[in-house]
Amino acid sequence: MTPTAWPAEAIWEQVFPWLPDFTVDILPEIDSSNSELMRRARAGQHEPTLMVAERQTAGRGRMGRVWQSQPGDSLTFSLSLPIAPQDWSGLSLAVGLSLAESLHPDVRLKWPNDLWMQERKLGGILVEAASMGGRSQVVIGVGLNIRPRPADGLNTPPAALTECWPDATAAAALARVAAPLIQTILAFETTGFAPLQARFEARDVLKGRRVHTSDGLQGTSRGVSASGALRLQTDAGVVDIHSSEVSVRPFAEDQP
């Protein structure tokens, strides 16, 4: 297999004006890029870092799910940034929006942190935070399916980026998303989610659809609030769902 030519230098040159101590690490294999950057943050290493893992042996998704990656089939990377926003609410939505807008008009968003395409999951986001010695560090993990993969054991059938971008590769996708994503996160530290609300709703796959949550609520999604909460119209009124540990799914009969 030909080694992947990652655009590390080009990304570094784009990001350097905003983050002069920024580094890009390309690792052939690791347990989890998020786990590694969290370990570094807890050890007092706060340099802004983009870590790409060609293969993850213990990749992690939201709510403890496993995200496996093999070279070429997917793009898995994590970002570690020393930011301290006044309000963390909506950060995963801001990340998803940046990725979707960079990748393709057909990529849509499922609250709170999934990328969808044609009712199937294209990718996921895991946001973690570490605080050591009064300093705050966020670690954001991203997994994207580049090529088709089996649906075995998955709750939602997978989509692949090559379906809407036939020439897509992991390296080309990284080149598209990395710098805009970092810029979005740095802006979020100051302005929060509110300026992104309308753009998120333009790609929101749940808005206007009947959904049910993992903690027993049912209703119609009314989009997201200015803080990134899911607004659910129930029989008892509108409920704002803030917890990213709640899973939300459309009812089967409401799926196109």
Side-chain angles (χ1 to χ4, degrees):
M1 181 182 294
T2 303
T4 300
W6 293 100
E9 186 71 18
I11 293 170
W12 181 86
E13 289 176 352
Q14 288 176 290
V15 175
F16 174 80
W18 321 318
L19 298 170
D21 54 347
F22 177 68
T23 61
V24 181
D25 289 346
I26 309 293
L27 303 180
E29 182 174 313
I30 197 170
D31 57 347
S32 159
S33 53
N34 254 48
S35 295
E36 173 60 20
L37 290 179
M38 288 292 286
R39 289 190 288 262
R40 293 185 186 185
R42 293 178 180 128
Q45 300 177 43
H46 297 286
E47 298 81 9
T49 303
L50 168 64
M51 178 176 289
V52 179
E54 293 187 320
R55 182 173 183 269
Q56 291 196 114
T57 58
R60 294 181 292 116
R62 191 171 66 97
M63 300 171 68
R65 297 188 180 106
V66 175
W67 184 285
Q68 300 289 356
S69 67
Q70 297 295 332
D73 289 346
S74 61
L75 169 63
T76 50
F77 68 90
S78 296
L79 268 173
S80 180
L81 296 173
I83 65 169
Q86 287 191 330
D87 186 357
W88 292 88
S89 302
L91 177 56
S92 66
L93 280 65
V95 171
L97 177 63
S98 176
L99 294 169
E101 290 182 340
S102 294
L103 287 170
H104 195 275
D106 290 346
V107 178
R108 303 188 71 197
L109 299 158
K110 176 181 169 290
W111 188 94
N113 53 10
D114 284 348
L115 301 173
W116 270 29
M117 191 170 65
Q118 299 173 358
E119 296 299 305
R120 292 169 295 135
K121 184 173 177 177
L122 177 66
I125 298 155
L126 176 65
V127 177
E128 300 180 291
S131 182
M132 292 292 293
R135 298 189 63 170
S136 178
Q137 194 89 358
V138 67
V139 176
I140 298 167
V142 175
L144 291 172
N145 298 324
I146 303 298
R147 297 196 289 238
R149 57 181 294 194
D152 301 346
L154 299 175
N155 292 327
T156 305
L161 192 58
T162 50
E163 295 174 45
C164 64
W165 175 12
D167 297 331
T169 64
L174 183 69
R176 277 195 187 185
V177 304
L181 176 57
I182 292 168
Q183 200 167 35
T184 294
I185 297 167
L186 295 178
F188 178 92
E189 182 178 23
T190 303
T191 62
F193 177 71
L196 308 175
Q197 180 185 9
R199 284 159 53 195
F200 183 94
E201 289 202 352
R203 292 179 182 250
D204 184 357
V205 298
L206 297 180
K207 188 174 181 181
R209 294 168 66 174
R210 293 177 61 249
V211 302
H212 56 99
T213 71
S214 57
D215 58 355
L217 286 175
Q218 299 185 19
T220 300
S221 171
R222 298 302 184 200
V224 297
S225 71
S227 66
L230 178 69
R231 311 213 73 206
L232 189 63
Q233 179 72 57
T234 70
D235 292 341
V238 176
V239 177
D240 282 3
I241 300 174
H242 297 273
S243 174
S244 62
E245 295 306 305
V246 175
S247 179
V248 181
R249 293 188 176 279
F251 281 95
E253 64 266 26
D254 282 3
Q255 296 188 14

